[in-house]
Amino acid sequence: MSASALSSTALPAASSSGFRLSKEHLVVAVPVAVISAIGGFLVSQYLNRRCCTKGLVNTSISKDSPKVVHSFDMEDIGSKAVYCRCWKSKKFPYCDGSHSKHNDETGDNVGPLIIKKKDT
């Protein structure tokens, strides 16, 4: 490249107020900055959502409630009751065996809570 061609493509000299940018530079810089900002925002939202939902145990049961609580009287249970602890049961709060699939998929070892009357 010749010296005259090089001098015509060089950046403008710095003025007392800082660097001067031409319209051509802004036409390129502004869209790149906007796309970078949007991309960064979307990536952070994806990572935040992935991180937070990964730790959730309850992904579908009574999500409109601030806290899921069930209470049972011992007299109403009968001789035996089996309750879900994996939060995957379609019959929640009762166990339907969904923990087996959950354990196979995740390597977890969760099982049901079994309450029964003491054998006499």
Side-chain angles (χ1 to χ4, degrees), residues 2-79:
S2 71
S4 62
L6 185 60
S7 66
S8 67
T9 60
L11 290 175
S15 69
S16 61
S17 65
F19 290 106
R20 269 190 292 159
L21 293 175
S22 66
K23 283 185 180 181
E24 292 81 20
H25 289 109
L26 288 175
V27 166
V28 172
V30 170
V32 168
V34 169
I35 289 170
S36 297
I38 291 171
F41 174 76
L42 293 174
V43 167
S44 71
Q45 291 298 311
Y46 169 76
L47 292 175
N48 256 354
R49 195 173 314 123
R50 197 177 115 208
C51 173
C52 295
T53 58
K54 187 175 184 180
L56 290 178
V57 176
N58 177 12
T59 57
S60 61
I61 298 165
S62 300
K63 295 304 284 182
D64 57 333
S65 176
K67 186 188 292 186
V68 179
V69 178
H70 294 94
S71 177
F72 302 94
D73 291 327
M74 293 298 289
E75 295 80 21
D76 296 337
I77 289 178
S79 61

Side-chain angles (χ1 to χ4, degrees), residues 91-108:
K91 300 186 320 179
F92 192 88
Y94 301 102
C95 178
D96 68 357
S98 295
H99 59 274
S100 297
K101 181 180 176 190
H102 165 79
N103 290 345
D104 290 341
E105 291 174 349
T106 63
D108 206 350

